[in-house]
Amino acid sequence: MALLDDDDASVKLSMSVREMSIKGVEPPPEYIVKEGIFGAIESSPEAGQIPIIDISLFSTSSQDSAKAQIELEKLRSALSSSGCFQAIGHGISSSFLDKLREAATNFFALPEEEKRFNPMEENQKHFKVAHRTEGCGHDVKVSEERVFDWAYRPTLRVFPEDQRCLDLWLENPNNFGKMLHEYTTKVKFKMEILFKAMAKSLNLEENSFADKRFGKQAKMTARFNFYPQCSRSDQVLGVKPHTDGSGVTVLLQDKEVEGLQVFVDDKWVRVPIIPDAIVVNLGDQMQIMSNGIFKSPMHRVVTNPDRMRLSVALFNKPDPETEISPVEKLIDETRSRLYKTVKNYGRISYECYQRGEIALETVKI
């Protein structure tokens, strides 16, 4: 194991996680996770019973069938308990998903100087000015308490199309942009169907989420998560415990390496790999809109001592200027209103994550 002098911590922090992984450098203290309210990093938690739902049954041609009604009940049960499920029947071929994974992996393997890099200082400026972070980069230290994630994650706005910063889109591999556009367009179409199914499962008018909260100006951001092998997987996390600040997150997992874990019934469970399935988990904004009926699951990513792990996350959320609040029909004598009306929840979530706070707790009534 290669070690650097303790006085040279700044050198270690200037290295990317990929460089530290390749050189066998032990992660510096800023990456070491301390046991918190969600427990320590377990070596082998059990596999979770994450529901598998066929979302093809929510299409217009199938939505009134008996099978669709059963699947709708499964959807409500999944989202009101664990807050996530494995989606099949999404219509995206296995070969296409493999090509997307391959393109992302090839990008990560490029030398650092060939990656299109947007300094994190610029990312911070983007966030403050336009409530968004984009480009390629690593964590920055925003507080003394912050623990860094063992991850490298290019992030790009994909919808609305007129808000894409194409100068930040990855140029290598050269088919990357076309592939990302095709994938996100397909997912966006399926999300519109899923939003309506979610509303119907709560006995709401089907456009309660699709149009009124996630309309034409709804945002979709793509994040390519790379988790290099880590020599201290017992003390370092790919992503710390958190809930997503989105409305709904769609995740394409690595085809071979597990890492995603969800906190269910006061314990961490593994999310098994189903190669052609896409993981759907709710974000805080959907928990707010459903007045707490649907759950935004606490989750984390563990590191692997032997292999790199990849995932592709799509974050779907309302426009920052859209007011988010519980749907009125979900408030009555038996269920009081749980959350305040908020705007720009993404920023609230981001700032709370940096401080190690739970964002949803700050907007409760």
Side-chain angles (χ1 to χ4, degrees):
M1 176 64 62
L3 293 173
L4 296 180
D5 191 291
D6 287 341
D7 294 332
D8 205 14
S10 61
V11 174
K12 295 174 83 170
L13 286 176
S14 69
M15 297 173 67
S16 70
V17 292
R18 178 174 179 265
E19 290 175 297
M20 285 189 279
S21 176
I22 291 173
K23 295 177 180 179
V25 173
E26 186 167 336
E30 286 80 1
Y31 288 88
I32 304 302
V33 175
K34 298 143 185 90
E35 184 170 350
I37 60 174
F38 299 106
I41 302 175
E42 299 177 46
S43 58
S44 55
E46 66 184 61
Q49 299 299 310
I50 309 300
I52 300 172
I53 295 178
D54 184 354
I55 62 175
S56 69
L57 294 172
F58 301 143
S59 63
T60 304
S61 60
S62 305
Q63 62 182 345
D64 294 325
S65 68
K67 285 186 178 180
Q69 292 306 309
I70 293 172
E71 218 67 4
L72 205 60
E73 292 172 9
K74 284 174 59 179
L75 179 69
R76 173 165 178 156
S77 174
L79 298 184
S80 58
S81 53
S82 64
C84 62
F85 64 91
Q86 303 250 28
I88 60 173
H90 46 67
I92 305 174
S93 71
S94 175
S95 60
F96 182 86
L97 295 178
D98 286 344
K99 288 178 182 177
L100 182 64
R101 292 185 181 103
E102 181 182 11
T105 301
N106 289 343
F107 166 77
F108 182 70
L110 290 172
E112 293 294 321
E113 61 272 14
E114 289 189 34
K115 290 191 178 79
R116 207 158 188 189
F117 182 73
N118 183 41
M120 286 305 291
E121 289 77 9
E122 284 298 306
N123 281 354
Q124 293 300 312
K125 183 174 74 173
H126 282 175
F127 184 84
K128 290 175 182 175
V129 174
H131 317 302
R132 58 195 287 184
T133 56
E134 289 186 73
C136 305
H138 310 275
D139 287 353
V140 291
K141 192 150 191 167
V142 295
S143 71
E144 290 302 316
E145 297 77 25
R146 178 163 190 191
V147 176
F148 288 178
D149 293 334
W150 191 259
Y152 177 84
R153 42 198 174 205
T155 302
L156 299 167
R157 168 73 55 78
V158 289
F159 290 111
E161 284 192 58
D162 61 4
Q163 293 182 19
R164 292 177 178 177
C165 289
L166 294 177
D167 57 320
L168 299 179
W169 281 47
L170 313 179
E171 292 182 335
N172 195 346
N174 58 17
N175 64 339
F176 182 87
K178 180 180 178 181
M179 193 173 298
L180 179 60
H181 174 78
E182 183 177 348
Y183 176 62
T184 55
T185 299
K186 290 177 178 180
V187 171
K188 184 174 184 289
F189 175 73
K190 291 298 180 181
M191 287 307 305
E192 291 169 358
I193 294 173
L194 191 55
F195 285 137
K196 293 180 179 180
M198 289 179 184
K200 288 181 68 175
S201 77
L202 293 172
N203 298 315
L204 297 173
E205 193 274 320
E206 69 172 15
N207 288 319
S208 295
F209 301 134
D211 292 343
K212 296 177 182 177
R213 268 75 174 184
F214 295 88
K216 291 182 179 180
Q217 290 305 304
K219 313 300 180 188
M220 180 187 286
T221 301
R223 177 179 294 163
F224 290 80
N225 302 304
F226 301 96
Y227 306 102
Q229 63 187 74
C230 180
S231 61
R232 297 308 304 269
S233 60
D234 60 326
Q235 292 186 312
V236 175
L237 286 170
V239 180
K240 299 179 293 296
H242 68 288
T243 58
D244 288 346
S246 61
V248 178
T249 301
V250 176
L251 184 77
L252 176 64
Q253 292 211 81
D254 192 291
K255 199 170 183 177
E256 298 178 351
V257 184
E258 283 191 2
L260 178 62
Q261 298 182 356
V262 180
F263 200 64
V264 180
D265 296 330
D266 297 322
K267 63 181 178 182
W268 290 104
V269 298
R270 305 187 336 263
V271 178
I273 292 174
I274 302 176
D276 297 335
I278 295 176
V279 177
V280 177
N281 76 264
L282 294 192
D284 292 353
Q285 296 193 58
M286 188 60 77
Q287 180 163 329
I288 292 171
M289 288 184 275
S290 69
N291 199 31
I293 297 174
F294 288 163
K295 307 301 181 187
S296 175
M298 183 69 63
H299 54 287
R300 69 183 185 184
V301 175
V302 297
T303 53
N304 189 295
D306 304 309
R307 301 183 65 182
M308 188 269 283
R309 177 177 179 271
L310 157 76
S311 68
V312 182
L314 300 180
F315 301 96
N316 300 270
K317 50 195 170 185
D319 182 90
E321 295 305 309
T322 299
E323 289 191 335
I324 299 302
S325 61
V327 175
E328 287 295 328
K329 289 185 179 180
L330 299 177
I331 304 170
D332 56 31
E333 318 80 53
T334 61
R335 189 175 191 86
S336 59
R337 178 172 176 158
L338 300 181
Y339 300 101
K340 304 172 186 175
T341 297
V342 295
K343 287 174 67 173
N344 196 9
Y345 183 83
R347 183 162 191 163
I348 296 171
S349 175
Y350 176 87
E351 292 175 349
C352 287
Y353 180 68
Q354 307 309 324
R355 298 192 298 264
E357 298 175 359
I358 300 175
L360 273 174
E361 295 296 319
T362 69
V363 297
K364 275 187 173 179
I365 291 177

